[in-house]
Amino acid sequence: RLSPLMAMTETPLSPEQVKLQVDRLRGQIRALGAINPNAVAEYEETQQRHTFLSTQADDLHQAGKSLRAVVAELDGVMRKRFTETFRAVAEEFKRYFSLLFSGGTARLILTDPDDPQMTGIDIVAQPPGKRMQSLALLSGGERALTATALLFAILTVNPTPFCVLDEVDAALDEANVERFRQALAVLGERTQFIVITHNRGTMESARALYGVSMGEDGASRVISLKLEEAQAHSGR
């Protein structure tokens, strides 16, 4: 009867060849190291871990895909809302500029119309009797009035509960202050304005005045006056 080693060859092996092959096989077996009786359990555990992580990776991939779709949708919505709001503000800005300057025209211009999310906004204005020019070339009073027109345009498109104005009328003459008061009165129906001013004309359009006075002892005192009550009291 042939041994398994001899049956695997076409010609019978000599005893020396069989011994060499047996020694080689034994060396390979020793090189494998000790037998791990927990190998099957560890394999199953590793396979389960691999299956779990693969499922998690697929879920993350799907979640990332969904998030990218949401971001793309939001970008589209923001682009549309920005374009609509910009056009509305630009139209109101043009109207308020002509109102406050009693003539002239002004425009809002996008520096990069193809990328509304990263674009800047430039202001070009043409007060009555002057040429069209950038905001930086206007006088102090013209810049203040132009900025006020832009602020009023924004408040018209998107009113806020209240607005604080800090001496925006400081560089305005009497005629401009009167137009400023008229615009403020219209916007005051939807927005409460807190105006810091030293201008008497602006104060006359307020419903209540608050001031700080220093007494003889050097201490500051806050005084207040409601114009409607004062007028009613003076009429008695």
Side-chain angles (χ1 to χ4, degrees):
R1 182 179 178 182
L2 295 177
S3 65
L5 293 177
M6 297 175 64
M8 296 171 54
T9 62
E10 295 180 355
T11 59
L13 297 176
S14 65
E16 292 79 6
Q17 291 175 330
V18 172
K19 184 177 182 303
L20 289 174
Q21 192 164 358
V22 169
D23 291 340
R24 182 175 60 81
L25 293 174
R26 285 177 177 174
Q28 292 178 354
I29 292 174
R30 285 193 299 269
L32 292 175
I35 297 175
N36 182 8
N38 299 321
V40 175
E42 291 177 357
Y43 170 78
E44 293 177 352
E45 181 181 353
T46 303
Q47 188 178 35
Q48 292 176 358
R49 179 66 175 168
H50 177 267
T51 302
F52 172 76
L53 292 177
S54 298
T55 303
Q56 294 295 309
D58 291 340
D59 290 344
L60 288 175
H61 178 73
Q62 292 298 327
K65 186 177 180 180
S66 299
L67 285 175
R68 285 189 290 272
V70 171
V71 170
E73 182 179 355
L74 288 176
D75 285 344
V77 171
M78 288 189 295
R79 181 185 295 267
K80 180 180 178 182
R81 290 290 301 274
F82 174 81
T83 302
E84 292 175 350
T85 302
F86 175 79
R87 289 175 179 173
V89 171
E91 191 65 27
E92 290 296 331
F93 171 63
K94 183 178 180 180
R95 183 174 68 86
Y96 274 109
F97 184 91
S98 298
L99 174 65
L100 295 177
F101 278 89
S102 189
T105 186
R107 290 183 296 144
L108 298 179
I109 300 176
L110 297 178
T111 59
D112 188 1
D114 296 330
D115 189 3
Q117 292 178 302
M118 300 299 295
T119 185
I121 298 176
D122 284 338
I123 298 175
V124 291
Q126 185 178 10
K130 294 187 177 182
R131 61 183 178 84
M132 187 76 71
Q133 53 192 333
S134 66
L135 184 64
L137 299 178
L138 299 178
S139 66
E142 290 171 341
R143 285 199 299 270
L145 214 56
T146 302
T148 302
L150 179 58
L151 175 62
F152 285 175
I154 295 173
L155 291 175
T156 300
V157 175
N158 187 19
T160 59
F162 67 92
C163 178
V164 179
L165 302 178
D166 188 1
E167 296 194 38
V168 297
D169 57 351
L172 305 183
D173 56 25
E174 292 184 4
N176 288 333
V177 169
E178 179 61 29
R179 291 190 290 270
F180 171 76
R181 287 176 49 187
Q182 294 175 3
L184 206 61
V186 175
L187 290 170
E189 298 297 327
R190 294 190 295 175
T191 298
Q192 182 179 6
F193 285 92
I194 302 172
V195 183
I196 302 171
T197 182
H198 294 282
N199 193 297
R200 180 177 178 179
T202 304
M203 294 182 189
E204 292 176 353
S205 64
R207 297 175 182 174
L209 297 176
Y210 298 89
V212 179
S213 176
M214 182 178 292
E216 295 180 357
D217 57 356
S220 297
R221 294 182 176 85
V222 178
I223 58 175
S224 62
L225 173 66
K226 291 186 177 181
L227 297 185
E228 294 179 355
E229 296 180 357
Q231 291 173 357
H233 182 76
S234 62
R236 293 178 181 176

